């Protein structure tokens, strides 16, 4: 072991004062994890003593004091002059002979390991002997693709000098560090030629929500600087840690990034010169790494996190010469892992304003923005993210724009209309059924949309002040009645999982189909049957990078459902098979030619009647293949499948038979199949239906509609639509008692318990197994149910000892 150069196996994380934070972490991983399959490029580091010896032999300390002691960091010009002088002093000092010789010896050892022509990465790692936690990340320079002894020594001198870059000097002043107590270690390691392949950043948790059961990976072509600095839109991947560790090998979710440019080395110039060049179009339209690489990185992340005992932020690079993946940096993740996820947010208006429109409130939030009236689909492209969307009504075609809106206001619709359902899932406030909102509110004016004042949603003129009140959830005991959540948007799954919950009572497949797939399943299978050339072209564009339309549909749907199932693992997630009506299917890309034209789609070709019908059985087969992939390949066996709108017992038998043919056999591999109880016939024949299903989820929206004979979307009879009507409640009572009599699960996933506390209490008194609520009502309803059960003499379950929704993989 030499005094001035140490190889990676000779130091670890406890040696930050010797080699700096970056090098100490690399040494720790190389020494402790290489044998466990984590690949770190070998290398060596100069010690802090080498830096001090250089300054001492050159007599440079006095000159550095003269350059820096009178520094005015607020004077940019003064900082630039003094920094330049300090760098010249350090670079001009040269390297002591003994240090040079030990660096040469280290270089020759790397040549023996990797070949004579090995190129090197030369990186700076600052440290302070009395401040072992100070890594000074990103403040000093890095030199890449270095070859030859002379170039290596020059790069080392430049690294030492970079301790006095303007940004590094300013950083130390801001942080209160003494320039002369900080030393610099140089890391020299095999250069991973990611300029010829890809690189990126990965985390052992989700960076947005702090959800710890996933590995989150980003990547792009070329050197990693673009991804680290956010200069490129990278590909993104998620892997679910618990099922991965059970042996399942599947990417949970992926998003294709634009990857418009890639950073490469410039030929014919100095070896550390880089440049961004346009990425080829064909490369941009595919992922920068394959699934095997993604899963390898997930394996690295899990092992590194387990070793350090905390969430980690890491960098990876794939070598275009040897085709191998390397970890080139790892440090503790310090943002998302520290975020408090168990906090209730309540929005409160601080001011008052003129009410210019009123309707039904959806959600409990407040938002401000500039109003933008969109009259039809042709104007959607004019909408600017952050505006308030005003429309007569919305359809699935509007959802991409709805995702970017600050709030949504519609003329028509009630609490169960499309705009309301989507707004809830997106977590944006919406006021629906205003009647004339689009005429009362002109485009371009500032408005405040408030859904925090009870059932009535209001649109105020101008920007009204409001604040968000946050309350820690604490350790809330669990009611005997299971409290589940309704969720269709995978983007909200990780965040929502932190709520106190017993799983997902309703995961709507339709949201994923309309948002992520966008095309009719039969059109994806048979694009050649489309008469519309534009639709054929759009489907070809959608499915680029996939083997065919079937692969596209199955992967997109399984990853969307899989994300929700992973977020709540191992709690049950009830996934309802598609329940679009024929007019909604027709609105999907290429769908018009495959759907009937019905006068009343609500009572038409929907739900189970479609599944075994020749007109849709190929589409249902795709849905089943996706769900089979979720349960078997992804290993997410907490998914329970649910059939909607099962009109007759014979229809149930046909659909269950079709599912079995497609590999989804009730009872096999623990598969449970539920049905929606939303048709009076389901209640009347509940004992016969119960022989075929493991549980029922009461859909109070449709059950109310069909019990009272009221079209819930008709404004003129909307006053007659009431989920608390005695007849509806009697239907629910008979359903709950029928489930109990047959020993199967009973739940309710309609709107009523979210909107009406008395309805939730009625369900609890009946002894229903579970109530599934919109996320914004979960906490308040849980507290009410706990109090009611206390009065009824039922014993609450203990609070979870871990955070709700996911347990740390470590």
């Amino acid at each position: 072991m030499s005094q001035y150069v140490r190889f990676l196996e000779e130091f670890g994380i406890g040696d930050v004062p010797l080699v700096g934070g970056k090098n100490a972490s690399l040494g720790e991983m190389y020494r402790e994890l290489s044998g466990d399959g984590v690949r770190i490029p070998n290398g060596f580091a100069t010690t802090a003593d080498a830096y001090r010896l250089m300054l001492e032999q050159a007599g440079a300390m006095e000159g550095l004091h003269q350059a820096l002691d009178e520094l005015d960091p607020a004077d940019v010009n003064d900082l630039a002059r003094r920094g330049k002088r300090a760098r010249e002093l350090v670079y001009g000092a040269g390297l002591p002979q003994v240090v040079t010789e030990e660096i040469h010896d280290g270089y020759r050892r790397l040549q023996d390991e990797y070949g004579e022509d090995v190129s090197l990465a030369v990186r700076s790692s600052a440290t302070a002997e009395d401040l072992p936690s100070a890594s000074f990340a990103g403040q000093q320079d890095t030199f890449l693709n270095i070859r030859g002894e002379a170039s290596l020594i020059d790069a080392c001198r430049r690294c030492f000098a970079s301790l006095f870059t303007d940004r590094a000097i300013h950083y130390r002043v801001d942080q209160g560090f003494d320039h002369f107590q900080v030393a610099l270690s140089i890391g020299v390691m095999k250069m991973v030629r990611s300029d010829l392949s890809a690189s990126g950043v990965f985390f052992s948790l989700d960076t947005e929500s702090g959800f710890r059961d996933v590995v989150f990976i980003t990547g792009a072509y070329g050197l990693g600087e673009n991804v680290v600095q956010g200069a490129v839109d990278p590909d993104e991947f998620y892997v679910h840690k618990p099922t991965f560790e059970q042996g399942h090998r599947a990417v949970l979710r992926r998003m294709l990034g634009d990857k418009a440019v890639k950073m490469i080395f410039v030929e014919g110039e100095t070896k550390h010169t880089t440049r961004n060049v346009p990425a080829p179009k064909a490369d941009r339209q595919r992922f920068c790494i394959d699934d095997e690489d993604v899963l390898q990185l997930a394996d690295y992340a899990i092992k590194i996190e387990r070793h350090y005992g905390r969430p980690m932020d890491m960098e990876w690079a794939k070598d275009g010469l040897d085709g191998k993946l390397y970890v080139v940096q790892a440090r503790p993740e310090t943002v998302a892992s520290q975020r408090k996820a168990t906090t209730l947010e309540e929005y409160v208006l601080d001011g008052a304003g003129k009410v210019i429109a009123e309707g039904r409130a959806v959600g409990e939030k407040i938002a401000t923005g500039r109003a933008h009236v969109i009259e039809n689909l042709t104007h959607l492209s004019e909408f600017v993210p952050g505006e308030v969307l005003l429309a007569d009504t919305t359809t699935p075609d509007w959802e991409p724009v709805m995702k970017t809106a600050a709030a949504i206001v519609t003329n028509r619709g009630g609490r169960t209309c499309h705009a309301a359902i989507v707004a809830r899932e997106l977590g944006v406030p919406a006021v629906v059924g205003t009647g004339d909102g689009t005429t009362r509110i002109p485009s371009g004016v500032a408005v405040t949309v408030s859904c925090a004042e009870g059932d009535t949603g209001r649109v105020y003129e101008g920007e009204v002040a409001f604040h968000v009140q946050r309350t820690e959830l604490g350790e809330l005991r669990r009611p005997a009645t299971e409290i589940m959540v309704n969720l269709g948007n995978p983007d909200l799954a990780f965040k929502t999982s932190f709520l106190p919950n017993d799983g997902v009572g309703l995961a709507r497949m339709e949201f994923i189909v309309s948002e992520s797939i966008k095309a009719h399943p039969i059109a994806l299978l048979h694009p050649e049957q489309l008469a519309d050339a534009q639709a054929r072209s759009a489907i070809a564009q959608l499915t680029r990078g996939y083997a065919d339309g079937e692969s596209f549909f199955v992967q997109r749907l399984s990853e969307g459902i899989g994300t929700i199932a992973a977020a709540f693992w191992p709690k049950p997630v009830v996934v309802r098979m598609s329940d679009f009506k024929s007019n909604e299917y027709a609105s999907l890309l290429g769908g018009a030619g495959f759907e009937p034209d019905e006068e009343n789609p609500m009572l038409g070709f929907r739900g189970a009647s479609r599944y075994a019908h020749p007109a849709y059985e190929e589409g249902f087969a795709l849905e089943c293949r996706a769900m089979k992939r979720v349960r078997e390949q992804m290993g997410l066996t907490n998914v329970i499948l649910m059939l909607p709108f099962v009109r007759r017992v014979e229809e149930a038998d046909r659909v269950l038979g079709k599912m079995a043919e497609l590999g989804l056999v009730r009872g096999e591999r623990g598969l449970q199949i539920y049905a929606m109880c939303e048709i009076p016939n389901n209640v009347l024949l509940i004992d016969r239906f119960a022989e075929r299903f493991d549980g029922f989820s009461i859909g109070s929206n449709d059950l109310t509609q069909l019990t009272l004979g009221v079209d819930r979307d008709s404004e003129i009879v909307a006053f007659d639509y009431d989920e608390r009507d005695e007849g509806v409640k009697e239907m629910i009572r008979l359903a709950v008692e029928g489930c109990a009599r047959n020993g199967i699960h009973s739940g309710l996933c309609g709107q009523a318990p979210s909107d009406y506390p008395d309805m939730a209490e009625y369900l609890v008194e009946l002894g229903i197994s579970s109530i599934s609520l919109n996320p914004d009502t979960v906490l308040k309803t849980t507290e009410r149910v706990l109090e009611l059960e206390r009065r009824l003499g039922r014993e609450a379950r203990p609070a979870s000892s871990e955070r709700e929704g996911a347990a740390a993989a470590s």
Side-chain angles (χ1 to χ4, degrees), residues 743-762:
I744 64 174
H745 179 93
S746 61
L748 190 141
C749 60
Q751 193 62 35
S754 293
D755 288 345
Y756 309 114
D758 57 323
M759 194 66 178
E761 292 184 3
Y762 176 71

Side-chain angles (χ1 to χ4, degrees), residues 202-205 213-217 237-239 241 298 301-302:
F202 62 131
F203 298 84
S204 63
L205 83 176
D213 274 4
V214 289
V215 175
F216 175 49
I217 299 162
F237 309 89
Y238 285 94
V239 176
K241 290 190 282 191
I302 291 168

Side-chain angles (χ1 to χ4, degrees), residues 206-210 333-342 498:
D206 175 47
T207 55
E208 298 305 307
S209 64
E333 199 284 333
T334 58
V335 180
S337 56
Q338 304 302 313
R339 189 178 302 132
K340 296 228 181 223
T342 53
F498 285 92

Side-chain angles (χ1 to χ4, degrees), residues 206 209 211 253 425 485 487-499 501 504 560-568 803 805:
D206 175 47
S209 64
F211 181 74
R253 196 174 186 207
E425 293 176 338
V485 296
L487 183 67
N489 184 357
D491 293 348
L492 301 178
F494 296 153
K495 175 184 176 182
T496 305
S497 72
F498 285 92
L499 288 169
N501 71 82
V504 176
I561 295 296
T563 298
I564 297 173
F568 291 84
R803 85 121 179 104

Side-chain angles (χ1 to χ4, degrees), residues 76-136:
V76 176
N77 292 327
D78 185 52
L79 174 62
R81 284 193 301 270
R82 291 175 181 272
K84 183 173 184 291
R85 177 61 183 146
R87 291 191 295 276
E88 288 171 347
L89 280 167
V90 175
Y91 182 79
L95 297 185
Q97 184 63 29
V98 62
V99 175
T100 299
E101 290 174 359
E102 290 189 10
I103 290 173
H104 286 166
D105 289 343
Y107 183 22
R108 285 190 287 271
R109 181 170 157 184
L110 290 178
Q111 286 178 311
D112 290 341
E113 181 174 353
Y114 291 112
E116 188 75 21
D117 197 40
V118 63
S119 60
L120 303 172
V122 182
R123 295 178 166 180
S124 309
S125 183
T127 185
E129 191 163 8
D130 58 342
L131 295 167
S133 64
S135 65
F136 303 95

